[in-house]
């Protein structure tokens, strides 16, 4: 019964931080947002926001890679990010210095998967996959009500995909060049087609068929490996709603009837959906992490 306890939520993004407070039923009662600068400056603003609020637990959904495994040496830290100043920064430690409360710490996409499972598009199900296609590509998986961890956390945006026959663009990933993120995240679209923002390309532009070609391959792999009951696709690039039917059709073509489940046959418009929590998905996800941390402590 954690619904009456005020919870803190931090959506720690590479571009902006969103802080908010809410309850264990998913209600958000207040939020603020500020640009991500240095860890010191940013965490001062986080501290200022929460100082006057008595929260029973804190949830942090963070950009990554991170170490979300409690009890390991750099638990709570952002690890190998190329973002200046943030590599090695201990986010959980910074929050705990201010308040001695349970902290739930996970990737932004794992948080979003949990939020959508509890209050959004996957409500009532046992598992789902949340993928964001934005500045990068990342996915989180809720399985049997919990989140997937192992050595650290999944990095489903960096899988290898088969190249589109007409794609000569080399890819943007600094680690793998033409992995999924390297070929299909927002910056790859911008550079491949020479526009300022993917939003500048018309709906009928071949960019979207190519984008769907890559994303459908990724979803095929996720379906075959994790068997999610729902796939939720968010992030700036997925604002291009014409991508949904393209991806759905290509996923069906790729699977070729192999996975015999009604969700994947006929119309699969209910299987691959946008986030129901909309622009609140990230903050709601952090709230879900806070509630889960409180449940572990109590
Ligand atoms: P972030 O991933 O940084 O949290 P977003 O999810 O908004 O932020 O993703 C930003 C990326 O998505 C940028 O590369 C931008 O070019 C691209 N993008 C944003 N809006 C659109 C749109 N409507 N159509 C296509 N691409 C978009
Ligand atoms: Zn990569």
């Amino acid at each position: 019964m954690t619904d009456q306890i005020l919870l803190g939520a931090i959506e720690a993004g590479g571009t902006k931080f969103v802080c908010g407070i809410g309850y264990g039923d998913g209600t958000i009662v207040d939020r603020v947002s500020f640009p991500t600068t240095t860890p010191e400056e940013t965490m001062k603003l986080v501290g200022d926001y929460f100082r006057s609020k008595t929260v029973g637990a804190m949830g942090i959904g963070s950009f990554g890679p991170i170490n979300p495994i409690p009890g390991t040496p750099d638990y709570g830290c952002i690890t190998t990010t190329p973002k200046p100043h943030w590599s090695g920064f201990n986010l959980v430690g910074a929050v705990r210095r201010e308040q001695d409360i349970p902290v739930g710490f996970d990737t932004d996409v794992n948080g979003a998967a949990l939020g959508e499972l509890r209050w959004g598009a996957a409500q009532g199900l046992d598992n789902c996959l949340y993928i964001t296609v934005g500045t990068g590509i990342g996915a989180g998986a809720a399985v049997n009500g919990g989140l997937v961890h192992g050595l650290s956390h999944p990095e489903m945006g960096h899988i290898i995909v088969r190249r589109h026959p007409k794609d000569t663009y080399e890819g943007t990933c600094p680690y793998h060049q033409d992995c999924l993120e390297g070929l299909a995240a927002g910056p790859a679209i911008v550079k491949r087609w020479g526009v300022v923002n993917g939003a500048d390309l018309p709906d009928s532009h071949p960019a979207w068929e190519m984008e769907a070609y890559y994303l459908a391959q990724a979803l095929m792999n996720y379906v075959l490996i994790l068997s999610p009951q729902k796939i939720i696709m968010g992030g700036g690039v997925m604002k291009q709603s014409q991508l949904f039917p393209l991806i759905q059709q290509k996923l069906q073509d790729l699977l070729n009837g192999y996975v015999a489940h009604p969700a994947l046959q006929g119309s699969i418009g209910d299987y691959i959906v946008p986030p129901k929590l909309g622009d609140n998905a990230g903050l709601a996800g952090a709230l879900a992490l806070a509630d889960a941390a409180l449940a572990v402590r109590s």
Side-chain angles (χ1 to χ4, degrees):
M1 287 304 294
T2 57
D3 288 6
Q4 304 309 314
I5 299 174
L6 192 65
L7 302 170
I10 304 172
E11 180 187 356
T15 315
K16 68 176 190 318
F17 264 55
V18 186
C19 297
I21 48 173
Y23 293 97
D25 63 356
T27 320
I28 294 167
V29 293
D30 186 52
R31 58 187 287 158
V32 293
S33 155
F34 37 84
T36 309
T37 57
T38 62
E40 292 70 29
E41 254 176 45
T42 311
M43 294 315 291
K44 180 179 180 310
L45 294 174
V46 172
D48 290 348
Y49 175 74
F50 285 110
R51 198 155 299 128
S52 58
K53 300 170 177 67
T54 310
V55 296
M58 186 76 79
I60 310 171
S62 175
F63 71 102
I66 62 170
N67 179 349
I69 312 296
T72 58
D74 59 349
Y75 164 69
C77 292
I78 293 175
T79 58
T80 48
T81 179
K83 192 169 172 57
H85 316 296
W86 285 87
S87 185
F89 183 73
N90 190 337
L91 254 178
V92 171
V95 168
R96 284 237 173 90
R97 262 197 302 281
E98 295 273 334
Q99 310 199 37
D100 183 25
I101 50 175
V103 176
F105 179 59
D106 218 313
T107 58
D108 43 7
V109 281
N110 257 350
L114 191 61
E116 290 287 339
L117 189 78
R118 294 187 56 175
W119 309 306
Q123 196 172 24
L125 302 177
D126 296 320
N127 60 69
C128 72
L129 185 118
Y130 180 96
I131 173 169
T132 181
V133 188
T135 307
I137 298 182
V143 174
N144 302 331
L147 293 167
V148 174
H149 293 136
L151 296 173
S152 67
H153 54 81
E155 278 288 355
M156 292 187 249
H158 293 264
I159 59 171
I160 294 171
V161 285
R162 197 183 281 166
R163 221 170 228 283
H164 190 286
K166 294 195 177 136
D167 190 9
T168 54
Y169 179 62
E170 69 267 26
T172 58
C173 179
Y175 290 89
H176 320 110
Q177 198 145 0
D178 62 354
C179 65
L180 175 68
E181 177 173 298
L183 291 174
I189 300 174
V190 162
K191 289 189 187 128
R192 178 187 291 115
W193 302 104
V195 288
V196 175
N197 188 303
D200 301 336
L201 295 164
D203 289 7
S204 57
H205 194 280
W208 305 121
E209 188 275 329
M210 192 176 281
E211 184 69 11
Y213 178 88
Y214 290 128
L215 293 173
Q217 289 184 61
L219 297 201
M220 171 159 175
N221 289 328
Y222 306 152
V223 167
L224 295 175
I225 293 169
L226 286 168
S227 201
Q229 290 167 312
K230 188 80 80 178
I231 295 179
I232 300 140
M233 302 191 78
V237 173
M238 294 311 300
K239 295 263 159 74
Q240 298 288 332
S241 55
Q242 77 279 10
L243 279 173
F244 280 90
L246 289 174
I247 293 167
Q248 287 156 357
Q249 183 61 53
K250 284 182 194 296
L251 174 62
Q252 278 183 316
D253 292 348
L254 284 170
L255 287 170
N256 200 20
Y258 182 67
V259 181
H261 190 281
L264 290 163
Q265 289 153 349
S267 163
I268 62 168
D270 285 345
Y271 182 62
I272 300 170
V273 296
K276 196 169 172 191
L277 302 172
D279 292 337
N280 272 338
L283 199 61
L287 203 59
L289 294 173
D291 194 50
L294 196 62
V296 169
R297 175 75 69 94
S298 45

